[in-house]
């Protein structure tokens, strides 16, 4: 079993950097991809950075869209998310992603894994008329565990839409979902949004996190965001942790949750299962060793 697990992880690691396509996909290609269900999800683990005993224990995963293109292989969000936005396909794409995520949640629950699942949504999605009704139907259909779902808002909401957006996000919170402010620090009005929208979680953008071990200003900004989030009662998540030094600095700065290549790359569902099994195996080995050492 273990060699196979290793193989799946290696395969996922191998696929991840192939982020270039031969020809830029068109909106027709993407519409077809949605119709013909060519999208799938990769899952990136999010771990606890703080509690000494549980340190690096998995608390959830972020679902990231991937496109299995018949001609070009696996395509990554940088080659289709803005295309979806420009061509009015973002809403159907988001429903599709949510459906895939809910199917995966049901399967993990069946396996006994009660993981929190984070899904990326956009401003247009929360402003879509009738969105909550469809959301209710879909989540009921899949018997979703709503208090184990986080919706990450990845895009800046226009000032004129803040009160409506706030109403919708509150309605989602009433259903048990958590709401995250994604890529915090990069938007035009991050602080206004933080003030006006009912977030539970704040994700520090990778552009800061990736520099904290090299650049004093990036560290000061990151520490200040952690402090700000804590004082507002939010869970602070650092994204894009790539090195042991960054990891250690975030632990030291009191950041609650971490995500990044240092912990794990985004993995296919199969590779994620293997990763989970390998980790629990090594946790048991470590436990046995510490018992023998006593
Ligand atoms: P995001 O939500 O900020 O997701 C994190 C991105 O950073 C992912 O890229 C992930 O693979 C990458 N990443 C994670 N850890 C590291 C690291 O340590 N180093 C580096 N260099 N990168 C890291 P990905 O999968 O290419 O997604 C890019 C963006 O596309 C996402 O950024 C999100 O905004 C958007 N996206 C992905 N899936 C969806 C989706 O289903 N719906 C919507 N609306 N947007 C999505
Ligand atoms: Mg995200
Ligand atoms: Mg992010
Ligand atoms: Mg980001």
């Amino acid at each position: 079993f273990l060699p196979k697990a290793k193989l799946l992880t290696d395969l996922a690691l191998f696929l991840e950097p192939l982020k270039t396509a031969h020809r830029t996909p068109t909106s027709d290609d993407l519409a077809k991809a949605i119709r013909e269900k060519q999208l799938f999800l990769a899952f990136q683990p999010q771990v606890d950075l703080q509690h000494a005993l549980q340190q690096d224990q998995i608390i959830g995963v972020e679902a990231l869209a991937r496109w299995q293109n018949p001609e070009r292989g696996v395509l990554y969000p940088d080659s289709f998310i803005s295309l979806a936005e420009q061509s009015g396909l973002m809403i159907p794409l988001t429903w599709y992603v949510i459906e895939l995520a809910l199917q995966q949640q049901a399967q993990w629950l069946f396996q006994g894994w009660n993981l929190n699942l984070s899904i990326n949504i956009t401003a247009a999605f929360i402003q879509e008329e009738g969105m909550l009704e469809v959301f209710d139907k879909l989540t009921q259909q899949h018997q979703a565990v709503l208090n184990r779902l986080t919706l990450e808002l990845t895009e800046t909401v226009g000032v004129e839409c803040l009160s409506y957006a706030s109403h919708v996000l509150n309605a989602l919170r009433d259903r048990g979902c958590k709401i995250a402010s994604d890529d915090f620090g990069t938007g035009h009005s991050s602080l206004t949004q933080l003030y006006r929208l009912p977030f539970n979680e704040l994700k520090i953008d990778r552009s800061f996190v990736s520099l904290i071990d090299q650049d004093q200003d990036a560290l000061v900004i990151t520490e200040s965001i952690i402090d700000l989030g804590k004082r507002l009662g939010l869970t602070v998540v650092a994204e894009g942790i790539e090195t042991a030094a960054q990891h250690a600095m975030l632990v030291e700065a009191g950041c609650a949750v971490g995500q990044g290549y240092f912990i794990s790359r985004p993995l296919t569902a199969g590779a994620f299962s293997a990763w989970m099994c390998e980790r629990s195996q090594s946790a048991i080995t470590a436990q046995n060793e510490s018992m023998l050492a006593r």
Side-chain angles (χ1 to χ4, degrees), residues 183-203:
D183 305 328
F184 186 79
T186 57
H188 296 297
S189 58
S190 315
L191 290 175
T192 307
Q193 281 204 41
L194 197 58
Y195 181 62
R196 296 275 307 273
L197 299 179
F199 291 118
N200 306 82
E201 184 178 305
L202 196 162
K203 293 190 79 173

Side-chain angles (χ1 to χ4, degrees), residues 182-183 205-206 239:
D182 206 352
D183 305 328
D205 192 64
R206 177 158 66 85
E239 64 172 31

Side-chain angles (χ1 to χ4, degrees), residues 62-64 118-120 152-154 182-183 203 239 259:
E62 178 175 1
L64 296 158
S118 294
I119 301 170
N120 293 286
E152 299 189 357
L153 188 60
T154 49
D182 206 352
D183 305 328
K203 293 190 79 173
E239 64 172 31
Q259 176 182 351

Side-chain angles (χ1 to χ4, degrees), residues 205-218:
D205 192 64
R206 177 158 66 85
S207 59
F208 301 114
V209 174
S210 64
L211 290 174
I212 55 173
D213 50 349
Q214 301 158 42
D215 183 287
Q216 179 64 18
D217 289 355

Side-chain angles (χ1 to χ4, degrees), residues 86-157:
Q86 288 154 25
S87 51
L89 290 168
M90 202 57 227
I91 312 262
L93 185 147
T94 306
W95 287 125
Y96 178 16
V97 165
I98 292 176
E99 181 144 35
L100 288 174
L102 296 181
Q103 284 168 359
Q104 190 59 65
Q105 185 190 54
Q107 199 182 319
W108 283 334
L109 280 169
F110 182 74
Q111 282 174 240
W113 293 347
N114 187 11
L115 298 163
N116 189 74
L117 196 60
S118 294
I119 301 170
N120 293 286
I121 58 167
T122 63
F125 180 74
I126 54 176
Q127 286 163 59
E128 172 77 357
E129 213 190 306
M131 189 279 275
L132 287 169
E133 286 75 17
V134 181
F135 183 84
D136 287 341
K137 226 177 86 191
L138 202 60
T139 51
Q140 276 156 25
Q141 220 173 48
H142 289 273
Q143 295 175 296
V145 182
L146 291 170
N147 61 15
R148 302 297 276 149
L149 276 191
T150 301
L151 300 168
E152 299 189 357
L153 188 60
T154 49
E155 196 186 83
T156 307
V157 177

Side-chain angles (χ1 to χ4, degrees), residues 284-294:
I284 292 166
T285 311
Q287 202 178 18
N288 287 346
E289 273 166 7
S290 78
M291 277 167 73
L292 287 173
R294 239 180 260 159

